[in-house]
Amino acid sequence: MAPRPTKSAAPPTRRKRGFERAVTLVGKELRSPAEKRGFAETKLLTHWAEIVGPDVADMALPVKVKYGRGFGGTLILLTTGAKAPMLEMQKEVIITRVNACYGYSAIKDVQVTQTAPTGFADGQVAFTPQAPAPKPAPDPARLKAATKHLDQIESPVLRDALHRLAGNIVTNRTGKEI
C-alpha cells in the first residue's frame, strides 16, 4: 500500500496578473550557485559580453571571485593559452568595466587561468574558435598580369608556388598597388 502524500509545504503563492520579468522567476535559483563562486551580482555572469565587450568575452569566461583580507576581490578568468597575454594587457579595462557593473570597487585584480581550447573534459567550458574571414577573390586582370610569364617555367612545383604567391600578392588587403 502506497503512503499518502503529506501536506508539509505551503501551497505556492499566487503570482501577480500579467507578465513578469524572467529575472524575478529564476533569480533565486541563479543566485545560490553564483554566490558559491563569489559572485555577488549574477549580472556579471549573465551579461558578461555586454559588460566587458565582445572582444574580451570571446577570449575569456568568468569563473570565480576570490576575496582576501583587504577590500576588493580577485576575478578569475578562464581562457585558452594563446589568448592569455592579450587578456593580461587588458586587465585594467576589465577591472574598470566590472567595477562599473558592481557600482563600487569590488574587484582589484584579475587572474587569468589557462586551459586547452576545447575546455575541460566534463564539458563545463567550451571555447568556440572564430571562423576565419573569407579571402577575397583576386582581380582577374591583375592576376593575369602578374602570372603572364609563369608559363615559361619548366618546374611545375615552382610554377604552382609562384602562381599562389602572385594570387596572394594581388589579393593584398591593404589596397596598395604593387
Side-chain angles (χ1 to χ4, degrees), residues 51-64:
I51 293 169
V52 295
D55 53 337
V56 175
D58 288 342
M59 291 189 288
L61 297 171
V63 176
K64 188 177 185 179

Side-chain angles (χ1 to χ4, degrees), residues 94-106:
I94 294 169
I95 291 171
T96 304
R97 291 180 179 177
V98 170
N99 285 338
C101 169
Y102 277 107
Y104 64 97
S105 297

Side-chain angles (χ1 to χ4, degrees), residues 5 15 20 28 46 60 122 126 147 151 155 157 165-166 173-174 176:
R15 295 190 334 218
E20 291 186 42
K28 295 174 187 173
T46 58
D122 62 354
T147 59
D151 295 334
S155 171
V157 175
L165 176 65
R173 294 179 187 222
T174 59
K176 297 178 185 176

Side-chain angles (χ1 to χ4, degrees), residues 25 30 33 36 71 76 95 99 122 144 167:
L25 298 173
L30 284 177
K36 288 180 183 176
F71 186 73
I76 300 174
I95 291 171
N99 285 338
D122 62 354
K144 185 176 180 181

Side-chain angles (χ1 to χ4, degrees), residues 126-148:
F127 291 96
T128 55
Q130 291 181 344
K135 195 173 184 181
D139 182 27
R142 289 183 65 202
L143 183 62
K144 185 176 180 181
T147 59
K148 68 180 177 179

